[in-house]
Amino acid sequence: MKIFYHLMLFVCFINTGILQAQNNYPQNYFRNPLNIPMQLAANFGAVRTNHFHMGLDLRTNSQENLSVVAAADGYVSRIKVERYGFGNAVYITHPNGYTTVYAHLNKYFDKLDEYVKEKQYKDEKWEQDITFQPGQFPVTKGQLIALSGNTGGSAGPHLHFEIRDTKTEECINPLFFGFNIPDNVSPIISGLYWYDRRFSTYEPGANAITVKKAGSTYTADVVRVNSPMISFGIKTVDKANQGFNLGIYKAELLMDGKLIYGFSIDKISYDDTRYENGCIDYTKFGRDKMSIQHLSVLPGMKLRNYSVPDLTGIINLQDEEVHNIEIILKDVKGNTSRLITKVQLSNSGSGITSSGKTVLPGEGKILTTENAEISFSKNAVYDAMNFNMYEKNSQDGNAVSNTIVLQNPYLPVHDYYTLKIKPDRKLTKEEKDRAVVVFNYGSDKDAIKAKWNGDQAEAQFNRLGTAELVLDRNLPSVSSGWKEGTVVNGNSLRLKGSTKVGDIVSFRAELDGKWLRFARIKNDFVYSFDEKCPKGSGSHTLKVTTVNTAGNENTQTFTFNR
């Protein structure tokens, strides 16, 4: 009865906290930015690669070009046009101190779209980041501002929608503002894990605990651990009534009826969102595609407004008694799930010890091999890491260094570190000009043009994996989908970009000697026919110049009739 009494008091406390959070924000001030019912494909705080999701992903029924309208009165204060990220985005500033953001758009409303196009032609630059004064593009609630799309870093048609504090630019959970999104589904728990905290959550890593569902409650057998210092992590998702897997809003951990840890995802800034890597089991997320959120604070995790102050979630077991553990999860609607288990220290074993190359939170570190050096800042790691760094022979025939192994791709770093590599022979100036550092993350690659400090190549990265110095003399190129000199019908021209190492970092197209606006869509370049090349305008020459990461430049000429 005592445990039940404490639990009921605590549940009431959580419900009160959620209501207070919602009451801090205007209710029903903002409308649905679509003219179809709001359905979530992702919510605020969902776990993504190297960041929390910072808004709502609203379903557009797998369609593009749906009307996107202003959520409230205000003015267009900014637009962005970019290859990845938001793609085409509109920012609207409102008189109540908030800014709404609408991303992955196909097209702005006519007046704004024409302004952006004119600036692109004036600047001879497709990517744009433009700010506006209040009187330039005022909008009213419900006014058409754009058409939805699939631009930027989008994996399918949808509308990304954010609400930000205009002064601080912190993103606030939009579900606090009273949107009508039906949700009576409680969070789903599919796994519980414990970690030995004597050294680090990374070593030896997660220990799985079987979870069983009994009615509305989840249970697990007594968790017997061999470390007197542990923490827990939980594998869980939330669902609204549409069935998509969503992120968890709020979690609480109690031991013997006492709160020892809690987090809630109320607001996050883009400056802080990478701290997500210190809130999850990064190894499980990267290697196994499994989202496990820590119910404790890692020593290098400094995300503000996230966890309850002074509650670390680290459990120090001073005896071999059985202790009660309760985990309570809630979504913004107050739907609740609860997991009950017990923990007991049994046969305490030896823990992991520090190596000579241990990197600790709050301490900068420089590590070296014979031909490489890595320099970490004091903010580099979230938890202690016995860093494994060595060299091996490269398998790339164009490499001019050994492959430098930097731990593995499944441990995180927070900020950029500097990597220096010494080539395996003296390079000429021309060779240095064509040298790039190729980094392999396991699932993908990146390449950065080398900066030279004497005979050492330098580059900065914020992930771990393997790196090597490579010479790239290959030209970038684009290929067309039409035969030279033939009539091109349809609505657009599409060129497919290609380069052997790295990326195409510069693209310029000229139609009959004048700059032509091509949009960058992943690795393709697309020009939508307009007044610059109307139908029936006859024969045209298209000159395209591309530059890749290494600085190799290529100019190609295409002809077509219109």
PDB file of all heavy atoms in Angstrom, residues 49 67 82 125 165 167 180 218 222 289 307-308 334 358 409 411 480 493 511:
ATOM      1  N   THR A  49      20.018  10.835 -36.185  1.00  0.00           N
ATOM      2  CA  THR A  49      21.471  10.740 -36.221  1.00  0.00           C
ATOM      3  C   THR A  49      22.094  12.072 -35.813  1.00  0.00           C
ATOM      4  O   THR A  49      21.926  13.085 -36.494  1.00  0.00           O
ATOM      5  CB  THR A  49      21.956  10.349 -37.632  1.00  0.00           C
ATOM      6  OG1 THR A  49      21.385   9.083 -37.979  1.00  0.00           O
ATOM      7  CG2 THR A  49      23.467  10.231 -37.664  1.00  0.00           C
ATOM      8  N   SER A  67      -1.164  22.689 -50.134  1.00  0.00           N
ATOM      9  CA  SER A  67      -1.089  24.071 -49.649  1.00  0.00           C
ATOM     10  C   SER A  67      -0.546  24.101 -48.220  1.00  0.00           C
ATOM     11  O   SER A  67      -1.024  23.379 -47.340  1.00  0.00           O
ATOM     12  CB  SER A  67      -2.472  24.711 -49.667  1.00  0.00           C
ATOM     13  OG  SER A  67      -2.950  24.819 -50.995  1.00  0.00           O
ATOM     14  N   GLU A  82      18.566  25.346 -49.670  1.00  0.00           N
ATOM     15  CA  GLU A  82      19.784  24.568 -49.475  1.00  0.00           C
ATOM     16  C   GLU A  82      19.606  23.143 -49.979  1.00  0.00           C
ATOM     17  O   GLU A  82      18.490  22.634 -50.075  1.00  0.00           O
ATOM     18  CB  GLU A  82      20.207  24.564 -48.002  1.00  0.00           C
ATOM     19  CG  GLU A  82      19.148  24.043 -47.051  1.00  0.00           C
ATOM     20  CD  GLU A  82      19.540  24.215 -45.590  1.00  0.00           C
ATOM     21  OE1 GLU A  82      20.682  24.645 -45.304  1.00  0.00           O
ATOM     22  OE2 GLU A  82      18.697  23.932 -44.717  1.00  0.00           O
ATOM     23  N   LYS A 125      23.621  32.569 -57.797  1.00  0.00           N
ATOM     24  CA  LYS A 125      23.805  31.566 -56.751  1.00  0.00           C
ATOM     25  C   LYS A 125      22.446  30.976 -56.387  1.00  0.00           C
ATOM     26  O   LYS A 125      21.511  31.713 -56.049  1.00  0.00           O
ATOM     27  CB  LYS A 125      24.451  32.204 -55.515  1.00  0.00           C
ATOM     28  CG  LYS A 125      24.703  31.247 -54.371  1.00  0.00           C
ATOM     29  CD  LYS A 125      25.320  32.002 -53.189  1.00  0.00           C
ATOM     30  CE  LYS A 125      25.521  31.059 -52.004  1.00  0.00           C
ATOM     31  NZ  LYS A 125      26.042  31.798 -50.825  1.00  0.00           N
ATOM     32  N   ASP A 165      11.171  30.096 -29.956  1.00  0.00           N
ATOM     33  CA  ASP A 165      11.209  31.364 -29.237  1.00  0.00           C
ATOM     34  C   ASP A 165      12.002  32.347 -30.108  1.00  0.00           C
ATOM     35  O   ASP A 165      13.157  32.093 -30.442  1.00  0.00           O
ATOM     36  CB  ASP A 165      11.887  31.163 -27.880  1.00  0.00           C
ATOM     37  CG  ASP A 165      11.924  32.441 -27.055  1.00  0.00           C
ATOM     38  OD1 ASP A 165      12.467  33.448 -27.525  1.00  0.00           O
ATOM     39  OD2 ASP A 165      11.422  32.416 -25.915  1.00  0.00           O
ATOM     40  N   LYS A 167      13.396  35.250 -29.602  1.00  0.00           N
ATOM     41  CA  LYS A 167      14.602  35.853 -29.029  1.00  0.00           C
ATOM     42  C   LYS A 167      15.728  34.843 -28.887  1.00  0.00           C
ATOM     43  O   LYS A 167      16.867  35.108 -29.264  1.00  0.00           O
ATOM     44  CB  LYS A 167      14.280  36.483 -27.674  1.00  0.00           C
ATOM     45  CG  LYS A 167      13.454  37.761 -27.759  1.00  0.00           C
ATOM     46  CD  LYS A 167      13.253  38.375 -26.389  1.00  0.00           C
ATOM     47  CE  LYS A 167      12.457  39.676 -26.481  1.00  0.00           C
ATOM     48  NZ  LYS A 167      12.237  40.285 -25.130  1.00  0.00           N
ATOM     49  N   ASN A 180      -4.816  19.841 -32.278  1.00  0.00           N
ATOM     50  CA  ASN A 180      -5.732  18.708 -32.136  1.00  0.00           C
ATOM     51  C   ASN A 180      -5.171  17.499 -32.876  1.00  0.00           C
ATOM     52  O   ASN A 180      -5.447  17.294 -34.059  1.00  0.00           O
ATOM     53  CB  ASN A 180      -7.118  19.077 -32.671  1.00  0.00           C
ATOM     54  CG  ASN A 180      -8.104  17.915 -32.520  1.00  0.00           C
ATOM     55  OD1 ASN A 180      -7.955  17.066 -31.635  1.00  0.00           O
ATOM     56  ND2 ASN A 180      -9.116  17.891 -33.375  1.00  0.00           N
ATOM     57  N   TYR A 218       4.443  -3.006 -17.406  1.00  0.00           N
ATOM     58  CA  TYR A 218       5.555  -3.836 -17.848  1.00  0.00           C
ATOM     59  C   TYR A 218       6.342  -4.284 -16.629  1.00  0.00           C
ATOM     60  O   TYR A 218       6.474  -3.538 -15.646  1.00  0.00           O
ATOM     61  CB  TYR A 218       6.464  -3.056 -18.793  1.00  0.00           C
ATOM     62  CG  TYR A 218       5.811  -2.644 -20.085  1.00  0.00           C
ATOM     63  CD1 TYR A 218       5.013  -1.499 -20.149  1.00  0.00           C
ATOM     64  CD2 TYR A 218       5.976  -3.394 -21.241  1.00  0.00           C
ATOM     65  CE1 TYR A 218       4.414  -1.113 -21.334  1.00  0.00           C
ATOM     66  CE2 TYR A 218       5.390  -3.015 -22.444  1.00  0.00           C
ATOM     67  CZ  TYR A 218       4.607  -1.875 -22.477  1.00  0.00           C
ATOM     68  OH  TYR A 218       4.009  -1.501 -23.653  1.00  0.00           O
ATOM     69  N   VAL A 222      14.021  -9.866 -11.307  1.00  0.00           N
ATOM     70  CA  VAL A 222      15.048  -9.203 -10.522  1.00  0.00           C
ATOM     71  C   VAL A 222      16.328  -9.063 -11.352  1.00  0.00           C
ATOM     72  O   VAL A 222      16.816 -10.034 -11.940  1.00  0.00           O
ATOM     73  CB  VAL A 222      15.359  -9.981  -9.232  1.00  0.00           C
ATOM     74  CG1 VAL A 222      16.494  -9.302  -8.458  1.00  0.00           C
ATOM     75  CG2 VAL A 222      14.114 -10.066  -8.357  1.00  0.00           C
ATOM     76  N   LYS A 289      20.843  -0.009 -35.032  1.00  0.00           N
ATOM     77  CA  LYS A 289      19.637   0.760 -35.365  1.00  0.00           C
ATOM     78  C   LYS A 289      18.602   0.662 -34.248  1.00  0.00           C
ATOM     79  O   LYS A 289      17.393   0.601 -34.485  1.00  0.00           O
ATOM     80  CB  LYS A 289      19.018   0.304 -36.688  1.00  0.00           C
ATOM     81  CG  LYS A 289      20.005   0.185 -37.840  1.00  0.00           C
ATOM     82  CD  LYS A 289      20.757   1.468 -38.097  1.00  0.00           C
ATOM     83  CE  LYS A 289      21.776   1.327 -39.215  1.00  0.00           C
ATOM     84  NZ  LYS A 289      22.640   2.517 -39.354  1.00  0.00           N
ATOM     85  N   SER A 307      17.312  17.211 -18.230  1.00  0.00           N
ATOM     86  CA  SER A 307      17.177  16.343 -17.068  1.00  0.00           C
ATOM     87  C   SER A 307      16.936  17.147 -15.801  1.00  0.00           C
ATOM     88  O   SER A 307      17.267  18.326 -15.708  1.00  0.00           O
ATOM     89  CB  SER A 307      18.416  15.461 -16.918  1.00  0.00           C
ATOM     90  OG  SER A 307      19.588  16.231 -16.926  1.00  0.00           O
ATOM     91  N   VAL A 308      16.360  16.474 -14.802  1.00  0.00           N
ATOM     92  CA  VAL A 308      16.063  17.117 -13.516  1.00  0.00           C
ATOM     93  C   VAL A 308      17.385  17.476 -12.836  1.00  0.00           C
ATOM     94  O   VAL A 308      18.259  16.614 -12.691  1.00  0.00           O
ATOM     95  CB  VAL A 308      15.232  16.191 -12.619  1.00  0.00           C
ATOM     96  CG1 VAL A 308      14.973  16.850 -11.263  1.00  0.00           C
ATOM     97  CG2 VAL A 308      13.913  15.839 -13.301  1.00  0.00           C
ATOM     98  N   GLY A 334      -0.311  12.899 -21.715  1.00  0.00           N
ATOM     99  CA  GLY A 334      -0.443  12.287 -20.398  1.00  0.00           C
ATOM    100  C   GLY A 334      -0.626  10.795 -20.420  1.00  0.00           C
ATOM    101  O   GLY A 334      -0.757  10.167 -19.352  1.00  0.00           O
ATOM    102  N   THR A 358      43.284   6.874 -22.523  1.00  0.00           N
ATOM    103  CA  THR A 358      41.913   7.165 -22.111  1.00  0.00           C
ATOM    104  C   THR A 358      41.597   8.641 -22.344  1.00  0.00           C
ATOM    105  O   THR A 358      42.371   9.525 -21.950  1.00  0.00           O
ATOM    106  CB  THR A 358      41.713   6.827 -20.627  1.00  0.00           C
ATOM    107  OG1 THR A 358      41.998   5.444 -20.420  1.00  0.00           O
ATOM    108  CG2 THR A 358      40.276   7.101 -20.209  1.00  0.00           C
ATOM    109  N   PRO A 409      33.390   3.589 -35.657  1.00  0.00           N
ATOM    110  CA  PRO A 409      32.313   4.557 -35.944  1.00  0.00           C
ATOM    111  C   PRO A 409      31.181   4.546 -34.929  1.00  0.00           C
ATOM    112  O   PRO A 409      30.286   5.383 -35.027  1.00  0.00           O
ATOM    113  CB  PRO A 409      31.791   4.089 -37.320  1.00  0.00           C
ATOM    114  CG  PRO A 409      32.816   3.164 -37.855  1.00  0.00           C
ATOM    115  CD  PRO A 409      33.480   2.537 -36.679  1.00  0.00           C
ATOM    116  N   LEU A 411      31.221   4.926 -31.569  1.00  0.00           N
ATOM    117  CA  LEU A 411      31.364   5.731 -30.366  1.00  0.00           C
ATOM    118  C   LEU A 411      31.330   7.198 -30.791  1.00  0.00           C
ATOM    119  O   LEU A 411      31.909   7.569 -31.811  1.00  0.00           O
ATOM    120  CB  LEU A 411      32.660   5.406 -29.627  1.00  0.00           C
ATOM    121  CG  LEU A 411      32.717   4.040 -28.930  1.00  0.00           C
ATOM    122  CD1 LEU A 411      34.062   3.853 -28.254  1.00  0.00           C
ATOM    123  CD2 LEU A 411      31.598   3.881 -27.916  1.00  0.00           C
ATOM    124  N   SER A 480      23.984  14.232 -69.194  1.00  0.00           N
ATOM    125  CA  SER A 480      22.629  14.659 -69.537  1.00  0.00           C
ATOM    126  C   SER A 480      21.778  13.460 -69.915  1.00  0.00           C
ATOM    127  O   SER A 480      22.285  12.386 -70.228  1.00  0.00           O
ATOM    128  CB  SER A 480      22.670  15.649 -70.701  1.00  0.00           C
ATOM    129  OG  SER A 480      23.070  14.977 -71.890  1.00  0.00           O
ATOM    130  N   LEU A 493      15.327  20.339 -67.251  1.00  0.00           N
ATOM    131  CA  LEU A 493      16.570  19.684 -67.633  1.00  0.00           C
ATOM    132  C   LEU A 493      17.196  19.095 -66.372  1.00  0.00           C
ATOM    133  O   LEU A 493      17.257  19.767 -65.346  1.00  0.00           O
ATOM    134  CB  LEU A 493      17.564  20.685 -68.234  1.00  0.00           C
ATOM    135  CG  LEU A 493      17.244  21.336 -69.571  1.00  0.00           C
ATOM    136  CD1 LEU A 493      18.346  22.342 -69.908  1.00  0.00           C
ATOM    137  CD2 LEU A 493      17.143  20.298 -70.671  1.00  0.00           C
ATOM    138  N   LEU A 511      23.612  29.357 -69.955  1.00  0.00           N
ATOM    139  CA  LEU A 511      22.836  29.099 -71.161  1.00  0.00           C
ATOM    140  C   LEU A 511      23.100  30.234 -72.138  1.00  0.00           C
ATOM    141  O   LEU A 511      22.772  31.396 -71.853  1.00  0.00           O
ATOM    142  CB  LEU A 511      21.346  29.008 -70.836  1.00  0.00           C
ATOM    143  CG  LEU A 511      20.442  28.635 -72.012  1.00  0.00           C
ATOM    144  CD1 LEU A 511      20.652  27.171 -72.409  1.00  0.00           C
ATOM    145  CD2 LEU A 511      18.976  28.892 -71.687  1.00  0.00           C
TER     146      LEU A 511
END
